[in-house]
Amino acid sequence: SAGAMAAVPDVEIDPEGNFKYLLVRLQRPGGAEQRHIVRGTKAAEFHNHIFEKLNPEMEKLGYECTCLGGGKIDHNSKDKKIRVFGLSTGYGKADHSVTVEILKKVYTDYEITWSNDKK
């Protein structure tokens, strides 16, 4: 149901710091309905750690996850700034412009920027 998909948060990222993130597409198997979510945490040493945690959670809800790439997020909650940059060695670079649009839905009063810089 659309309700279940809507119940999955658009964004789950750490409240502060510099960490890896993934852009992930959720889709019902065989269904047209899909959406993109952003997940990032300092707890993940590698990008695949994020996916390995997320994928089983989403499968339980009946979604297929496709990783669309990754990068890094620098989250400065004090200054209300988020910077999206870098890439994932394993998954490639996410479309950071898409990530920024998703972040803006949640962090409405933030300045959110992206670049292809590595650092």
Side-chain angles (χ1 to χ4, degrees):
S1 74
M5 191 176 269
V8 177
D10 287 320
V11 177
E12 283 181 2
I13 62 171
D14 285 1
E16 186 67 42
N18 194 318
F19 46 84
K20 293 178 168 65
Y21 94 89
L22 290 180
L23 180 62
V24 177
R25 184 175 67 220
L26 298 184
Q27 198 162 5
R28 286 278 183 219
E33 184 195 9
Q34 61 173 52
R35 57 182 275 233
H36 296 69
I37 60 171
V38 174
R39 294 292 182 271
T41 176
K42 274 183 278 206
E45 189 186 350
F46 299 104
H47 283 91
N48 62 309
H49 294 169
I50 301 171
F51 194 75
E52 284 162 10
K53 182 178 176 294
L54 177 69
N55 198 35
E57 291 173 7
M58 294 302 115
E59 281 183 344
K60 276 186 203 135
L61 297 173
Y63 299 112
E64 289 174 345
C65 288
T66 307
C67 184
L68 302 177
K72 287 189 174 164
I73 287 176
D74 190 6
H75 188 173
N76 181 335
S77 55
K78 183 171 65 74
D79 295 340
K80 297 200 168 185
K81 287 185 178 179
I82 294 177
R83 189 168 69 96
V84 183
F85 63 101
L87 53 84
S88 159
T89 312
Y91 295 113
K93 186 176 78 69
D95 184 338
H96 296 326
S97 64
V98 173
T99 302
V100 166
E101 288 312 307
I102 297 168
L103 289 169
K104 280 179 178 171
K105 288 189 210 170
V106 178
Y107 296 94
T108 50
D109 57 344
Y110 268 61
E111 181 191 322
I112 306 177
T113 57
W114 68 271
S115 76
N116 291 321
D117 298 346
K118 297 278 194 292
K119 293 190 183 332

